[in-house]
Amino acid sequence: QVQLVESGGGLVQAGDSLRLSCSASGRTFNNNAMGWFRQAPGKEREFVAAIAWSLGYTYYAGSVKGRFTISRDNAKNTVYLQMNSLKPEDTAVYYCAASPKGNIQGPEYDYWGQGTQVTVSS
């Protein structure tokens, strides 16, 4: 089992920045990638960004590319999501996920965090 704990959410104004963190513990040696997803009220959960753990390849949704940056600290088993130029439409609960079962940008991950709220006011 892998446990994921997110932190860093909050209430900010449009144009501000936030950094989310996700710390992984447990049986992390089988983890090959981690991702961030988000779910806004009344909407489906959507892919935001992902990173391949060993080589560091990154993947982004078109809506956040150029504004968000995903990174990892292998020694700390932690993945980060730096979010710049935030917009009201970025408001959502952000979830960290580990160990994708297939497509790294797809929703099939083995482990999920509890989520952290990000609210962007206009």
Side-chain angles (χ1 to χ4, degrees):
Q1 290 291 327
V2 174
Q3 293 78 42
L4 303 175
V5 178
E6 301 106 331
S7 61
L11 171 63
V12 297
Q13 293 187 331
D16 285 351
S17 298
L18 273 178
R19 189 177 81 156
L20 305 183
S21 299
C22 175
S23 295
S25 60
R27 297 171 64 87
T28 59
F29 54 84
N30 286 331
N31 184 28
N32 61 337
M34 293 184 71
W36 288 96
F37 290 76
R38 67 186 182 187
Q39 187 167 20
K43 294 189 176 181
E44 297 283 324
R45 186 176 297 186
E46 64 175 359
F47 169 78
V48 175
I51 186 165
W53 203 252
S54 59
L55 297 179
Y57 294 149
T58 57
Y59 308 81
Y60 296 96
S63 59
V64 306
K65 198 167 187 178
R67 299 188 298 124
F68 291 11
T69 303
I70 189 171
S71 61
R72 84 235 190 267
D73 184 327
N74 293 37
K76 295 182 178 179
N77 282 325
T78 298
V79 65
Y80 305 98
L81 185 68
Q82 178 67 43
M83 305 185 294
N84 298 331
S85 302
L86 282 161
K87 304 175 181 180
E89 50 264 44
D90 294 318
T91 295
V93 177
Y94 283 71
Y95 297 91
C96 173
S99 299
K101 295 181 180 179
N103 182 357
I104 197 172
Q105 300 182 59
E108 299 296 323
Y109 277 67
D110 280 332
Y111 306 103
W112 292 86
Q114 80 287 353
T116 185
Q117 177 70 46
V118 172
T119 302
V120 184
S121 63
S122 57

